[in-house]
Amino acid sequence: MLSSEIIKSTHRIKSLHLNRTVELEMYSPDELMGNEEVSLLLLNDGQESEAMHIQEVLSLLYTSGKIEPLIVVAIKASEDRVQEYGVAGVPDFLGRGAKADKYTAFITGELLPFVQAEVSVPVNGKRAFAGFSLGGLSAFDIVWNNDNLFDIAGVFSGSFWWRKKDLKDGYRDEQDRILHEMIRTTTGKPEVKFWLMTGTDDETADRNRNFIIDSIDDTVDVIKELMAKGYKRPEDIFYYEMVGGKHEVATWAKALPAFLTWAFPRKPRFTNL
């Protein structure tokens, strides 16, 4: 069994792509031997890592033998968050997300090499990227378009409403949601898996007046697009709807263990008799 002690370290990267210094918090299990299969989780909005109780959650899951060795890298957002997060190359109707392509370049070209250089053992297991709200949209976009680098996208209350047109300007679900269109028009089927979470109290908005809040509608429609793309096995998509869950860190913190145990489950150990 892994040691329950989690080592937390703080790092700063001078990013050429973002033209700023990016702050990170890295969480690693103590006493790695070097012969384990070690996985990696990148997490958007890393400034919430203390409120998410990441260190305590990882320690508990290791102690109970529920997850494999895992490096978690919590990436702190900047004041330019609404420009750096989004769908790369497709700003929304207000021009938000205009730097999402630069953020993608930072993740793939600067952060991943930095992490591997900092970690004392090879990252040779699964690679996941997760986030909350707009950070979840960003994580999904980056995983979807970089399946050579990532295996899993985790999205907590994702901003899947992200749209090209304002509601008052003739908006239509079937043509104006940016991420849904991206899935639909992508050639081929990225080899990744998806964990998608919403809360029943995420919001009160119901733009189509079907008595289902928009965050649930938008997430369910993402699942429909994925299924149409060919993701039909139960292990491809996991949808977690939290009764009473709100659009807040406290809800996402409660959901975090469920995501971690789904994405990085402890494999059975067999011994010779």
Side-chain angles (χ1 to χ4, degrees), residues 106-173:
F106 160 70
I107 294 294
T108 60
E110 296 177 320
L111 179 61
L112 287 177
F114 174 85
V115 170
Q116 185 58 86
E118 285 292 319
V119 177
S120 60
V121 297
V123 178
N124 54 4
K126 290 180 284 188
R127 294 187 177 194
F129 200 168
F132 322 104
S133 191
L134 187 53
L137 178 75
S138 166
F140 188 110
D141 174 55
I142 292 173
V143 171
W144 179 264
N145 289 293
N146 296 277
D147 66 334
N148 59 317
L149 299 175
F150 294 99
D151 306 292
I152 297 168
V155 182
F156 299 67
S157 302
S159 297
F160 293 142
W161 58 267
W162 204 243
R163 50 184 174 261
K164 297 183 292 183
K165 188 180 292 185
D166 198 355
L167 297 179
K168 68 180 186 301
D169 294 329
Y171 165 90
R172 295 172 61 190
D173 274 353

Side-chain angles (χ1 to χ4, degrees), residues 126-128 142-153 186-194 226 229-233 235-236:
K126 290 180 284 188
R127 294 187 177 194
I142 292 173
V143 171
W144 179 264
N145 289 293
N146 296 277
D147 66 334
N148 59 317
L149 299 175
F150 294 99
D151 306 292
I152 297 168
T186 295
T187 300
K189 174 176 168 282
E191 292 301 316
V192 292
K193 301 180 187 300
F194 309 90
L226 291 173
K229 204 72 178 173
Y231 298 94
K232 298 184 185 268
R233 300 177 304 165
E235 60 266 32
D236 289 338

Side-chain angles (χ1 to χ4, degrees), residues 26 28-40 69-71 112 114-125 127:
M26 191 179 301
S28 307
D30 192 18
E31 299 179 0
L32 286 175
M33 301 297 294
N35 60 350
E36 302 94 342
E37 182 176 281
V38 178
S39 294
L40 173 68
L70 174 66
I71 308 295
L112 287 177
F114 174 85
V115 170
Q116 185 58 86
E118 285 292 319
V119 177
S120 60
V121 297
V123 178
N124 54 4
R127 294 187 177 194

Side-chain angles (χ1 to χ4, degrees), residues 49-215:
S49 58
E50 185 173 342
M52 292 288 298
H53 308 294
I54 290 176
Q55 198 163 6
E56 295 89 340
V57 168
L58 289 172
S59 179
L60 178 61
L61 293 177
Y62 286 135
T63 301
S64 57
K66 291 184 177 179
I67 62 173
E68 292 289 338
L70 174 66
I71 308 295
V72 177
V73 178
I75 311 156
K76 295 185 179 182
S78 74
E79 295 178 356
D80 222 8
R81 177 181 183 272
V82 297
Q83 293 299 332
E84 292 179 356
Y85 290 175
V87 173
V90 191
D92 85 332
F93 69 99
L94 290 177
R96 296 170 294 191
K99 295 182 181 179
D101 55 345
K102 297 182 186 300
Y103 188 69
T104 297
F106 160 70
I107 294 294
T108 60
E110 296 177 320
L111 179 61
L112 287 177
F114 174 85
V115 170
Q116 185 58 86
E118 285 292 319
V119 177
S120 60
V121 297
V123 178
N124 54 4
K126 290 180 284 188
R127 294 187 177 194
F129 200 168
F132 322 104
S133 191
L134 187 53
L137 178 75
S138 166
F140 188 110
D141 174 55
I142 292 173
V143 171
W144 179 264
N145 289 293
N146 296 277
D147 66 334
N148 59 317
L149 299 175
F150 294 99
D151 306 292
I152 297 168
V155 182
F156 299 67
S157 302
S159 297
F160 293 142
W161 58 267
W162 204 243
R163 50 184 174 261
K164 297 183 292 183
K165 188 180 292 185
D166 198 355
L167 297 179
K168 68 180 186 301
D169 294 329
Y171 165 90
R172 295 172 61 190
D173 274 353
E174 58 270 24
Q175 66 184 32
D176 293 320
R177 287 177 297 185
I178 294 171
L179 188 106
H180 298 73
E181 182 181 45
M182 181 189 75
I183 297 171
R184 199 161 47 243
T185 58
T186 295
T187 300
K189 174 176 168 282
E191 292 301 316
V192 292
K193 301 180 187 300
F194 309 90
W195 188 93
L196 310 175
M197 172 267 171
T198 59
T200 57
D201 293 337
D202 248 323
E203 60 180 336
T204 58
D206 178 15
R207 62 178 177 267
N208 60 2
R209 300 179 183 177
N210 66 347
F211 302 102
I212 300 173
I213 59 173
D214 291 344
S215 59

